[in-house]
PDB file of all heavy atoms in Angstrom:
ATOM      1  N   LEU A  15      -5.322 -38.810  -7.129  1.00  0.00           N
ATOM      2  CA  LEU A  15      -5.396 -40.252  -7.388  1.00  0.00           C
ATOM      3  C   LEU A  15      -6.293 -40.562  -8.585  1.00  0.00           C
ATOM      4  O   LEU A  15      -6.697 -41.717  -8.783  1.00  0.00           O
ATOM      5  CB  LEU A  15      -5.942 -40.970  -6.141  1.00  0.00           C
ATOM      6  CG  LEU A  15      -5.142 -40.785  -4.843  1.00  0.00           C
ATOM      7  CD1 LEU A  15      -5.886 -41.412  -3.674  1.00  0.00           C
ATOM      8  CD2 LEU A  15      -3.752 -41.376  -4.978  1.00  0.00           C
ATOM      9  N   SER A  93     -12.177 -28.331 -25.123  1.00  0.00           N
ATOM     10  CA  SER A  93     -11.228 -29.218 -25.781  1.00  0.00           C
ATOM     11  C   SER A  93     -11.979 -30.251 -26.601  1.00  0.00           C
ATOM     12  O   SER A  93     -13.195 -30.326 -26.571  1.00  0.00           O
ATOM     13  CB  SER A  93     -10.339 -29.899 -24.735  1.00  0.00           C
ATOM     14  OG  SER A  93     -11.128 -30.573 -23.766  1.00  0.00           O
ATOM     15  N   GLY A 108     -15.787 -12.418 -37.370  1.00  0.00           N
ATOM     16  CA  GLY A 108     -14.840 -11.308 -37.298  1.00  0.00           C
ATOM     17  C   GLY A 108     -14.223 -11.042 -35.943  1.00  0.00           C
ATOM     18  O   GLY A 108     -13.625  -9.985 -35.735  1.00  0.00           O
ATOM     19  N   LEU A 248     -22.972 -10.257 -37.307  1.00  0.00           N
ATOM     20  CA  LEU A 248     -21.998  -9.524 -38.116  1.00  0.00           C
ATOM     21  C   LEU A 248     -22.136  -8.023 -37.910  1.00  0.00           C
ATOM     22  O   LEU A 248     -21.138  -7.296 -37.812  1.00  0.00           O
ATOM     23  CB  LEU A 248     -22.175  -9.879 -39.592  1.00  0.00           C
ATOM     24  CG  LEU A 248     -21.811 -11.319 -39.980  1.00  0.00           C
ATOM     25  CD1 LEU A 248     -22.236 -11.606 -41.419  1.00  0.00           C
ATOM     26  CD2 LEU A 248     -20.323 -11.568 -39.800  1.00  0.00           C
ATOM     27  N   THR A 292      -7.794   4.648 -17.708  1.00  0.00           N
ATOM     28  CA  THR A 292      -6.887   5.254 -16.748  1.00  0.00           C
ATOM     29  C   THR A 292      -7.647   5.579 -15.488  1.00  0.00           C
ATOM     30  O   THR A 292      -8.861   5.744 -15.483  1.00  0.00           O
ATOM     31  CB  THR A 292      -6.303   6.565 -17.323  1.00  0.00           C
ATOM     32  OG1 THR A 292      -7.358   7.509 -17.471  1.00  0.00           O
ATOM     33  CG2 THR A 292      -5.635   6.328 -18.659  1.00  0.00           C
ATOM     34  N   LEU A 328     -12.427 -10.853  -2.807  1.00  0.00           N
ATOM     35  CA  LEU A 328     -13.762 -10.692  -2.237  1.00  0.00           C
ATOM     36  C   LEU A 328     -14.785 -10.859  -3.348  1.00  0.00           C
ATOM     37  O   LEU A 328     -14.498 -10.613  -4.515  1.00  0.00           O
ATOM     38  CB  LEU A 328     -13.920  -9.308  -1.590  1.00  0.00           C
ATOM     39  CG  LEU A 328     -12.912  -8.961  -0.487  1.00  0.00           C
ATOM     40  CD1 LEU A 328     -13.142  -7.534   0.000  1.00  0.00           C
ATOM     41  CD2 LEU A 328     -13.000  -9.933   0.669  1.00  0.00           C
ATOM     42  N   PRO A 332     -25.394 -11.847  -5.366  1.00  0.00           N
ATOM     43  CA  PRO A 332     -26.323 -11.436  -6.420  1.00  0.00           C
ATOM     44  C   PRO A 332     -27.349 -10.438  -5.919  1.00  0.00           C
ATOM     45  O   PRO A 332     -27.806 -10.515  -4.764  1.00  0.00           O
ATOM     46  CB  PRO A 332     -26.986 -12.764  -6.825  1.00  0.00           C
ATOM     47  CG  PRO A 332     -26.817 -13.664  -5.651  1.00  0.00           C
ATOM     48  CD  PRO A 332     -25.518 -13.279  -5.030  1.00  0.00           C
ATOM     49  N   GLY A 404     -27.049 -10.842   7.050  1.00  0.00           N
ATOM     50  CA  GLY A 404     -25.829 -11.633   6.929  1.00  0.00           C
ATOM     51  C   GLY A 404     -24.888 -11.455   8.111  1.00  0.00           C
ATOM     52  O   GLY A 404     -24.027 -12.300   8.354  1.00  0.00           O
TER      53      GLY A 404
END
Side-chain angles (χ1 to χ4, degrees):
L15 302 173
S93 55
L248 292 171
T292 66
L328 303 177

